[in-house]
Amino acid sequence: MKSLLVAFSGGVDSTFLLAVARDALPKNALLAVTGTSPAFPEREVAEARRLAARLDVEHLLVHSGEMDIPEFRSNPVDRCYFCKGGLFSQFKRIAESRKLHWVVEGSTVDDMSDHRPGRRAIKELNIRSPLEEAGLRKEEIRFLSQRLDLPTWNKPSFACLASRFPYGEAISEEGLRMVDRAEQLLLDYGFSQVRVRFHGRMARIEIPKNEIDRFLEPLMRDRVNQKLKQIGFVYVALDLEGYRSGSMNETLTKS
């Protein structure tokens, strides 16, 4: 592929992709770019910075600007199409200005089975997905990341905070901040994988099933309830099915 701009979130997949590209290409033929926005927590931005520095790859931060797109804020079922279209168009302009041959991103074979309208924008813009092209699945990427001594090999999965809002419920910066603060609180309390779904003023918490008993200990339960109400939620609920990726898409399969 000769030279690349890697869309870099600092997650498991994009970190593995960046590491492999670093090993395959000359240093001046590789650039990592991270889109920043209210939907991408500062902790994830900081992690992307640390990882790019560790890999010794040039790294840019750009403002993604999806909150300026009405079709994104209104949160239709194809919300991600508008977000990815704007973000990857920006990445392509940067790649062209740097005379880099390709923009690549970290989708895997597993991503093909979920509702991901952003993939349509990626295909339309001729963005390549080398991990998918290689037939790699997420568990294989974690295994290979451990072999490469990448610190992300066991990092919990993350999706942008907009994915916490039910389709059709408008996305606001205030709501994104509330979700971010609530999830950071639960992470600080030691829960390994966290989603706080935003249902109006109700927070629906998803954590791994094997951590539910700890959550339900009276002191922890009352502390979380009090803190989330201080953040601005009126009701706090625990999802007894536990954490699962893409739970907001369950309404699509049942409709």
Side-chain angles (χ1 to χ4, degrees):
M1 300 175 78
K2 297 184 179 179
S3 60
L4 302 179
L5 182 155
V6 177
F8 183 56
S9 68
V12 178
D13 302 329
S14 67
T15 300
F16 175 71
L17 177 59
L18 186 63
V20 172
R22 187 273 314 267
D23 291 344
L25 295 169
K27 188 169 184 178
N28 63 357
L30 181 62
L31 175 67
V33 183
T34 302
T36 66
S37 83
F40 193 63
E42 181 54 39
R43 66 179 179 272
E44 295 293 329
V45 176
E47 177 75 354
R49 283 174 167 158
R50 286 192 294 270
L51 289 165
R54 174 180 174 136
L55 293 171
D56 193 26
V57 173
E58 183 182 0
H59 183 216
L60 292 182
L61 300 178
V62 298
H63 180 61
S64 59
E66 70 269 21
M67 293 301 290
D68 298 327
I69 304 172
E71 294 88 350
F72 174 84
R73 293 198 313 271
S74 63
N75 197 18
V77 294
D78 58 349
R79 171 197 69 232
C80 291
Y81 172 79
F82 301 100
C83 176
K84 295 291 189 187
L87 182 61
F88 279 90
S89 293
Q90 189 176 175
F91 287 174
K92 286 198 73 169
R93 290 192 292 271
I94 295 171
E96 289 166 4
S97 71
R98 293 292 195 98
K99 295 182 170 52
L100 300 171
H101 286 80
W102 293 98
V103 177
V104 299
E105 59 87 45
S107 291
T108 70
V109 171
D110 294 326
D111 294 320
M112 298 172 67
S113 61
D114 196 8
H115 173 72
R116 293 181 182 268
R119 290 172 54 79
R120 179 160 57 97
I122 287 169
K123 298 300 182 185
E124 289 175 358
L125 291 167
N126 199 28
I127 308 300
R128 291 185 66 176
S129 306
L131 305 181
E132 179 190 320
E133 292 177 27
L136 287 169
R137 297 187 177 277
K138 289 185 181 295
E139 285 307 309
E140 294 172 317
I141 290 165
R142 288 187 183 275
F143 172 79
L144 293 169
S145 295
Q146 188 176 24
R147 290 276 299 271
L148 293 177
D149 197 29
L150 296 175
T152 50
W153 74 270
N154 64 346
K155 182 179 179 178
S157 62
F158 176 78
C160 90
L161 297 178
S163 67
R164 314 310 195 248
F165 291 70
Y167 296 118
E169 181 159 330
I171 297 170
S172 67
E173 291 200 26
E174 178 194 11
L176 291 169
R177 284 193 296 269
M178 290 171 63
V179 169
D180 187 15
R181 291 177 61 195
E183 291 193 355
Q184 185 63 60
L185 175 81
L186 291 164
L187 292 169
D188 291 343
Y189 284 162
F191 294 99
S192 62
Q193 181 79 68
V194 170
R195 295 289 186 270
V196 176
R197 310 294 186 182
F198 188 98
H199 298 268
R201 290 290 171 170
M202 185 185 80
R204 175 169 60 86
I205 297 170
E206 296 178 15
I207 56 175
K209 283 186 176 180
N210 63 359
E211 297 179 7
I212 287 178
D213 285 347
R214 176 171 173 258
F215 182 96
L216 292 176
E217 293 172 0
L219 183 61
M220 178 63 71
R221 181 194 64 209
D222 294 345
R223 182 183 298 162
V224 171
N225 184 55
Q226 179 185 22
K227 293 291 187 182
L228 264 63
K229 288 187 174 181
Q230 289 174 359
I231 287 170
F233 292 102
V234 176
Y235 305 103
V236 180
L238 176 67
D239 191 319
L240 297 182
E241 197 168 342
Y243 164 75
R244 63 252 185 232
S245 177
S247 72
M248 290 304 195
N249 294 335
E250 292 169 5
T251 59
L252 302 180
T253 59
K254 293 175 182 177
S255 62

